[in-house]
């Protein structure tokens, strides 16, 4: 029985100079994908056992052998790189599988000249392949002779003894085809890691004869798994079956954001060299004009070495903790804004910051006397080299994310904040910009960004597209010779015009002015109510996630809040908010909206929305399970608490309560009764309005009966599309087909509007269709009288309403119900109501 607690020092199996794994000229070993360890560039011809143990595997080709040491560590000894291709020629294995060997016993002999001539390198590896239980620390990184102490290994304190969990149960495995666009790069790998961490079992991916732990992003990326490649997943532990199923699903489901905003097609310098113009690749479209401002990265001075190891380790840990707190803040903001691109990118950064391959290499450098700054920097450089050697553009672009983390951790170590103060309206030039740089630059109001290197599929490019910031990449080193002068960045055409003529500047400024003027006109009128030509008033409200959003919405002309998703008010929490805290947060939104009405939806968890403090049971079909108002069935006290908090806001006539996922009248009546009882307990005579979301077909079909008992209805087109079309609203492959302008949905919307009208109730739309200007005439025509959109779109939607004749809209919309597809509806909309 292995004794995992026993520390062990492995002795050198070969004589020669020692290398850290990161410096091994092999991407896979260097990435740590096979495990932690050390390498020797051998000068002798025999490999010796580094400890007492059992031979558990002997390579058929005689170039590698694995021992299990008495403390349970599994030690792979691999002679040379790519030596498997010699098919045994030049090797003599001296032991057999199952044999017991003692420290210093010869294991294999090889013909130095023959092997050296025919393999890539003689550099030989000693790798702990079950490294999840052990930590390896080199005793030396200088030269060694056979038998000298080389690597110290200690059992990791994983909390759970391996014998208790990860070693119990059978190993299960399965095959899956990778669905992620561009293969298993950082964001999907982060998702895989997150999935694996939800289980106690230990999980691994196997591809191309190599394996990597699902705990390590670097390890998984090091496998260079391409899109549509078949990989094997194995899981060992008490919940192995469940872990395997979850991982197979994660690996075979493309990320939702992979289908949004496809990367612009690569434009390989389409123009011949042109004086005064640098050509690059469009990473985010748009045209900008402004003075060029160059940004330079941090340059570290020489490291004198000889630092206090403990102090440097502590500093590194503190800096890492600081940066992960900062990233968590960004993530929370991205989540409340439902910005899935930003969320996925910074989730991957958080996972990288915790990656064993990066941390172990940095800590090793510190142990050898480096400063924390230099150790971190070297560790990042080593991993960047690994990614660059994989021959996959997408993975090579992920070095940008690693460099982002290098800069951030270095700044934290040096006590610096983001150091650039860029004037608003500038065009920023840099060797490379990172995702966090981009967020800072956007906040400073820059007009565009361009880079010497980079690619159109990098995370910076994705963020720039999301922010509408023109971005050119791959402009070459000549970019850094520029500074100060006013330029035109024409990202659409891949051009940076260094010396634009006065006419050209005037032309670009004219285009900008026209666009800005249109926006300004819309914005100026955003505060006036929106009426159609024939005098129908359409309320244009805002969807918000916080009181800050509400204040912004009011400033942007919102007629009210059409949807406050209360589940997003508390996403950053690990403990449930109590009644008072809830009341304060709701009151803050009401206060931010001056005298306008605020619709507050009761908590809608389940399905795609999860809260840390409210774990829900695992369900086979979560979107068809305990979602929305159904929570009242299982946790009635949670809903009562929320209703009590809502009843204590003032003034109550501005606070409107909205119930999500209602499917039958009894649900509404039950909540109405609870609301009455709670209001009585609080001694209130007044009642807030109570409305119902129409977001499942059953509710749309029963709208008339619901409207009898509800004060208003609000259509959630996001879920209504999902449940009507039987297509997951987040399904990457189906995204273009989940279109709420489908005639089947229009029929349900028409029925809901008719049901509301029969009881004189007003009806609104708070799903994404409300913000689609092509759909505005249809919704108005079907009878919708309130549209709730994001604050930035209020002016635009109000402007659209003012162009419409509601009676004509009603006639033409009725015809749309007879069409056969969403595409046909869209085409007809373009014909009837062209977009300016
Ligand atoms: C909807 O389903 O359209 C809706 C507005 O609710 P959510 O997007 O929060 O599910
Ligand atoms: Mg919904």
């Amino acid at each position: 029985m292995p004794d995992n607690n026993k520390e062990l020092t492995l002795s050198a199996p070969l004589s020669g100079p020692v290398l850290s794994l990161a410096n091994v000229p092999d991407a896979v070993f260097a990435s740590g994908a096979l495990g932690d360890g050390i390498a020797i560039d051998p000068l002798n011809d025999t490999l010796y056992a580094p400890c007492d143990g059992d031979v558990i595997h002997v390579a058929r080709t005689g170039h590698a052998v694995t021992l299990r040491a008495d403390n349970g560590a599994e030690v792979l000894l691999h002679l040379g790189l790519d030596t498997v291709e010699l098919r045994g020629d030049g090797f003599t294995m001296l032991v057999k599988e199952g044999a017991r060997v003692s420290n210093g016993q010869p294991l294999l002999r090889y013909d130095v000249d023959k092997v050296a001539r025919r393999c890539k390198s003689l550099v030989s590896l000693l790798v702990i392949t079950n490294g999840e239980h052990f930590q390896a620390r080199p005793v030396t990184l200088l030269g060694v002779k056979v038998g000298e102490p080389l690597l110290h290994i200690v059992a990791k304190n994983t909390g759970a003894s391996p014998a208790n969990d990860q070693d119990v149960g059978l190993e299960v495995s399965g095959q899956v085809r990778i669905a992620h666009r561009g293969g298993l790069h950082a964001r999907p790998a982060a998702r895989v890691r997150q999935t694996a961490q939800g289980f106690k079992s230990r999980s691994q991916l196997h591809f191309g004869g190599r394996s990597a732990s699902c705990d390590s992003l670097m390890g998984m990326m090091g496998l260079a798994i391409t899109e549509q490649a078949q990989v094997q997943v194995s899981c060992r532990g008490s919940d192995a079956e469940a872990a395997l199923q979850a991982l197979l699903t994660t690996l075979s489901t493309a990320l939702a954001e992979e289908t949004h905003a496809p990367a612009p097609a690569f434009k390989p310098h389409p123009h011949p060299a042109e004086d005064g113009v640098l050509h690059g690749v469009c990473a985010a479209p748009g045209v900008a004009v402004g003075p060029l401002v160059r940004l330079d990265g941090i340059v570290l001075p020489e490291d004198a070495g000889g630092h206090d190891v403990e102090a440097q380790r502590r500093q590194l840990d503190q800096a890492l903790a600081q940066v992960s707190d900062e990233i968590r803040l960004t993530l929370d903001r991205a989540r409340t804004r439902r910005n899935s691109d930003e969320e996925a990118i910074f989730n991957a950064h958080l996972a990288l910051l915790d990656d064993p391959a990066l941390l172990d290499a940095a800590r090793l450098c510190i142990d050898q006397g480096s400063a924390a700054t230099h150790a971190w920097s070297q560790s990042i450089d080593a991993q960047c080299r690994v990614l660059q050697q994989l021959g996959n553009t997408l993975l090579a672009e992920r070095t940008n994310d690693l460099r982002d983390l290098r800069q951030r951790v270095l700044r934290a170590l040096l006590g610096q904040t983001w150091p650039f103060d860029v004037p608003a309206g500038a065009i920023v030039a840099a060797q490379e910009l990172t995702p966090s740089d981009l967020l800072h630059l956007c906040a400073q109001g820059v007009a565009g960004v361009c880079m010497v290197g980079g690619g159109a599929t990098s995370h910076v490019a994705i963020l720039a597209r999301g922010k509408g910031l023109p971005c050119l990449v791959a402009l070459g080193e000549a970019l850094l010779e520029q500074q100060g002068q006013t330029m035109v960045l024409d990202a659409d055409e891949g051009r940076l015009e260094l010396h634009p003529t006065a006419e050209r500047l005037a032309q670009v400024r004219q285009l900008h002015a026209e666009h800005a003027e249109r926006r300004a006109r819309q914005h100026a009128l955003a505060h006036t109510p929106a009426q159609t030509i024939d005098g129908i008033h359409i309320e244009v409200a805002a969807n918000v996630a916080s009181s800050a959003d509400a204040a912004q919405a009011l400033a942007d002309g919102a007629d009210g809040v059409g949807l406050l998703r209360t589940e997003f008010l508390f996403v950053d929490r690990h403990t449930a908010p109590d009644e008072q805290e809830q009341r304060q947060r709701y009151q803050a939104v009401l206060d931010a909206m001056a005298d306008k009405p605020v619709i507050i939806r009761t908590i809608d968890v389940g399905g795609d929305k999860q809260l840390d403090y409210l774990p829900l049971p695992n369900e086979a079909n979560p979107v068809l399970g305990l979602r929305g108002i159904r929570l009242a069935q299982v946790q009635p006290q949670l809903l009562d608490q929320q209703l009590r908090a809502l009843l204590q806001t003032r003034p109550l006539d501005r606070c409107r309560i909205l119930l999500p996922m209602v499917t039958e009248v009894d649900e509404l009546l039950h909540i109405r009764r609870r609301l009455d009882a709670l209001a009585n307990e609080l001694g209130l005579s007044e009642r807030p309005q109570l409305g119902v979301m129409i977001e499942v077909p059953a509710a749309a079909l029963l709208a008339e009966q619901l409207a009898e008992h509800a004060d208003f209805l609000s259509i959630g087109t996001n879920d209504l599309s999902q449940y009507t079309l039987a297509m997951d609203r987040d399904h990457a492959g189906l995204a273009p087909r989940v279109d709420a302008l489908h005639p089947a949905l229009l029929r349900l919307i028409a029925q809901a509007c008719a049901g509301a009208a029969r009881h004189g109730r007003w009806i609104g739309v708070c799903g994404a269709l409300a913000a689609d200007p092509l759909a505005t005439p249809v919704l108005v025509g079907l009878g919708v009288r309130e549209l709730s959109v994001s604050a930035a779109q209020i002016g635009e939607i109000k402007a659209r309403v003012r162009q419409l004749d509601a009676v004509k809209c009603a006639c033409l919309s009725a015809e749309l119900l007879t069409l056969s597809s969403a595409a046909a509806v869209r085409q007809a909309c373009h014909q009837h109501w062209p977009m300016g």
Side-chain angles (χ1 to χ4, degrees):
M1 186 71 184
D3 172 6
N4 295 77
N5 290 324
K6 220 165 105 202
E7 294 191 12
L8 180 68
T9 301
L10 299 179
S11 52
L14 294 157
S15 299
V18 178
L19 288 80
S20 69
L21 272 200
N23 290 322
V24 170
D26 177 284
V28 179
F29 281 118
S31 72
L34 295 183
D36 208 356
I38 201 154
I40 296 176
D41 199 356
L43 301 171
N44 61 325
D45 68 355
T46 305
L47 177 91
Y48 295 87
C51 57
D52 295 343
D54 302 314
V55 178
I56 56 171
H57 184 248
V58 168
R60 268 186 299 115
T61 42
H63 68 291
V65 50
T66 307
L67 308 183
R68 183 181 292 118
D70 293 341
N71 69 346
E74 291 172 9
V75 185
L76 165 71
L77 299 152
H78 189 284
L79 213 133
L81 298 176
D82 292 349
T83 34
V84 65
E85 281 154 31
L86 272 61
R87 295 169 194 275
D89 193 15
F91 294 97
T92 313
M93 187 57 74
L94 306 173
V95 289
K96 289 211 164 53
E97 235 166 64
R100 173 85 192 159
V101 294
S102 46
N103 191 0
Q105 180 176 331
L107 299 177
L108 84 84
R109 192 156 292 133
Y110 69 105
D111 181 333
V112 181
D113 287 342
K114 193 178 214 175
V115 175
R117 265 202 317 274
R118 294 178 52 204
C119 75
K120 177 169 153 188
S121 159
L122 276 184
V123 167
S124 300
L125 288 307
L126 185 160
V127 174
I128 313 298
T129 53
N130 57 347
E132 64 283 358
H133 301 321
F134 297 93
Q135 224 159 15
R137 194 172 311 149
V139 177
T140 175
L141 278 179
L142 303 171
V144 282
K145 292 209 181 72
V146 168
E148 287 180 355
L150 178 67
L151 193 73
H152 195 60
I153 49 178
V154 219
K156 271 186 192 166
N157 186 4
T158 55
S161 139
N164 284 344
D165 193 62
Q166 298 187 341
D167 282 352
V168 300
L170 282 180
E171 179 167 290
V172 292
S173 65
Q175 302 263 341
V176 68
R177 209 170 273 289
I178 298 294
H180 301 281
R181 206 160 79 187
L184 202 67
H185 54 90
R187 279 169 293 137
R191 202 62 76 79
V192 171
R193 178 176 181 269
Q194 208 175 26
T195 306
Q197 288 184 338
F199 298 90
K200 293 191 213 98
S201 296
R202 179 165 72 90
S203 304
Q204 287 193 303
L205 297 188
H206 312 272
F207 179 66
R210 301 186 267 120
S211 306
S213 160
C214 293
D215 283 340
S216 170
L217 232 60
M218 291 306 308
M220 285 189 280
M221 288 198 284
L223 295 180
I225 300 173
T226 48
E227 184 175 344
Q228 292 303 315
Q230 184 91 4
V231 297
Q232 197 190 348
V233 188
S234 66
C235 306
R236 179 187 288 278
S238 54
D239 52 6
E241 273 295 350
L244 179 66
Q245 287 317 318
L247 284 167
L248 293 178
T249 307
T250 304
L251 287 160
S252 60
T253 313
L255 304 183
E257 58 271 21
E258 287 174 337
T259 57
H260 302 158
F266 180 79
K267 289 189 188 165
H269 303 211
H271 305 281
E274 219 182 317
D275 260 1
V277 176
L278 297 182
H279 291 290
V281 174
C282 174
V287 182
V289 55
L292 195 87
V293 173
R294 209 179 57 217
L295 303 189
D296 301 311
I298 298 178
V299 182
L300 289 174
E302 274 289 300
D303 184 8
H307 299 276
D308 173 355
V309 171
E310 277 317 310
Q312 295 299 318
R313 269 184 170 246
R314 222 175 15 253
Q315 282 177 26
L316 179 62
D317 288 346
Q318 279 163 1
L320 290 168
Q322 180 185 326
V323 175
S324 43
D325 285 350
E326 289 166 11
I327 297 178
R328 281 205 178 88
L329 213 66
T330 308
L331 272 176
D332 288 344
R333 285 198 207 110
R335 255 178 231 131
T336 42
R337 280 184 281 117
R338 307 207 94 190
N339 186 332
S340 55
D341 281 336
E342 218 167 288
E343 196 183 330
I345 291 168
F346 287 99
N347 248 328
H349 281 207
L350 205 57
L352 281 170
L353 212 52
D354 194 29
D355 200 282
L358 277 175
L359 297 184
D360 292 354
R363 288 183 181 135
L364 176 61
C365 274
I366 290 180
D367 292 352
Q368 285 156 8
S370 286
T373 42
H374 292 68
W376 180 247
S377 202
Q378 278 172 34
S379 164
I380 294 272
D381 285 347
Q383 294 302 334
C384 285
R385 280 197 298 277
V386 171
L387 290 181
Q388 269 152 353
Q389 282 166 13
L390 294 172
N392 172 321
T393 324
L394 200 63
L395 290 175
E397 279 181 358
R398 295 305 167 256
T399 55
N400 176 260
D401 296 280
L402 288 176
R403 283 192 287 271
D404 193 345
L405 293 172
R406 171 175 48 207
Q407 296 291 102
R408 294 186 79 155
V409 174
L410 285 184
R411 278 200 290 271
L413 280 164
L414 298 170
Q416 295 177 357
T417 51
W418 199 73
F420 308 107
D421 196 5
V422 182
I427 294 176
V428 170
Q431 182 74 34
E432 113 176 311
L433 293 166
T434 63
S436 64
D437 290 336
L438 199 97
L439 294 193
H440 283 291
L441 290 169
C442 277
Q444 295 189 343
V446 303
V449 292
C450 44
M451 293 176 236
V452 170
T457 51
S458 67
H459 288 159
V460 184
I462 294 174
L463 290 178
R465 285 197 287 277
K467 306 262 176 212
L469 191 69
C471 172
L472 267 187
V473 296
L475 282 156
E477 294 289 338
L479 175 66
L480 298 182
E481 291 158 20
Q482 316 300 322
Q483 177 73 294
Q485 71 270 32
T486 297
M487 298 188 177
V488 170
L489 171 69
D490 185 348
D492 299 341
E493 294 301 320
R495 293 159 58 91
L496 181 67
E497 301 167 23
L498 307 180
H499 313 290
T501 61
E503 287 86 352
R504 174 67 172 142
L505 285 176
Q507 184 198 25
V508 176
R509 287 193 170 120
Q510 172 73 19
L511 280 175
H512 272 253
E514 280 168 18
H515 181 73
E517 207 183 307
R518 197 167 48 244
R519 297 285 305 172
R521 240 182 297 129
Q522 291 174 351
H523 191 70
L525 286 175
H527 291 268
T528 349
Q531 282 197 359
T532 59
I533 297 167
D534 49 347
I536 301 294
H537 174 67
I538 305 295
E539 198 161 296
V540 182
N543 288 355
V544 302
S546 65
S547 55
D549 282 0
Q552 183 63 50
L554 186 73
D556 287 340
D559 298 327
V561 164
L563 174 64
L564 169 67
R565 292 176 163 104
T566 53
E567 60 278 7
F568 289 150
L569 271 182
F570 303 107
V571 271
D572 50 347
R573 301 279 307 242
H574 296 288
T575 53
D578 64 17
E579 192 177 306
Q580 273 323 305
E581 205 175 343
Q582 289 193 49
R583 186 194 64 78
Q584 280 162 7
R585 298 290 283 271
Y586 307 147
Q587 187 64 51
V589 177
L590 278 159
D591 292 346
M593 285 307 290
D595 58 349
K596 316 270 187 220
V598 173
I599 297 178
I600 303 181
R601 187 173 70 184
T602 57
I603 195 159
D604 182 18
V605 279
D608 61 326
K609 302 176 190 121
Q610 298 292 337
L611 290 177
D612 283 352
Y613 66 82
L614 190 56
L616 293 170
N618 275 339
E619 297 191 272
N621 291 305
V623 287
L624 301 180
L626 282 174
R627 277 200 60 179
I629 203 67
R630 299 170 196 171
L631 191 68
Q633 243 170 271
V634 282
Q635 304 222 31
Q637 75 291 354
L638 271 183
L639 208 69
D640 275 3
Q641 186 190 46
Q642 187 168 30
L643 293 176
R644 255 198 312 270
L646 286 164
L647 283 168
Q648 291 172 67
T649 58
R650 294 294 178 270
L652 261 190
D653 65 340
R654 280 205 293 121
C655 172
R656 298 173 182 176
I657 300 178
L658 181 61
L659 307 177
M661 295 294 295
V662 171
T663 49
E664 59 183 28
V665 181
D666 274 356
E667 284 167 322
L668 168 63
L669 292 179
H670 171 70
I671 302 295
R672 217 187 244 299
R673 280 196 297 273
R674 283 310 302 152
L675 202 61
D676 272 340
L678 295 168
N680 286 338
E681 276 173 27
L682 292 165
L684 297 172
S685 52
E686 216 183 338
R687 301 284 182 272
Q689 285 192 18
L690 184 61
V692 164
M693 291 274 304
I694 303 293
E695 54 182 346
V696 295
L701 296 168
L702 280 191
E704 186 184 339
Q705 288 88 326
L706 286 165
E708 191 182 342
H709 303 281
D711 297 306
F712 64 95
L713 305 180
S714 183
I715 305 174
T717 49
N718 308 337
D719 277 314
L720 193 59
S721 308
Q722 159 164 275
Y723 295 119
T724 304
L725 304 173
M727 292 181 192
D728 182 344
R729 62 193 259 182
D730 291 329
H731 192 295
L734 295 172
R737 295 184 56 197
V738 186
D739 186 341
L741 277 182
H742 191 290
L745 267 110
L746 295 187
R747 284 171 182 246
L748 290 173
I749 294 173
Q751 182 154 0
C753 290
R758 223 152 281 147
H759 294 281
R761 312 292 187 212
W762 66 265
I763 181 162
V765 173
C766 60
L769 193 68
D772 181 349
L774 194 64
T776 316
V778 188
L779 296 175
V780 169
L782 293 178
V784 169
R785 292 297 174 256
E786 182 241 28
L787 297 167
S788 191
V789 303
S790 70
Q793 288 164 300
I794 288 166
E796 186 187 359
I797 297 295
K798 283 193 173 180
R800 182 77 167 152
V801 167
R802 293 188 189 108
Q803 300 167 341
L804 305 173
D805 178 320
V807 174
K808 276 196 197 144
C809 288
C811 297
L812 294 171
S813 299
E815 285 172 21
L816 301 180
L817 307 191
T818 63
L819 296 180
S820 55
S821 68
V825 172
R826 284 197 175 268
Q827 200 183 6
C829 288
H830 277 294
Q831 271 167 10
H832 297 323
W833 304 284
M835 306 250 288

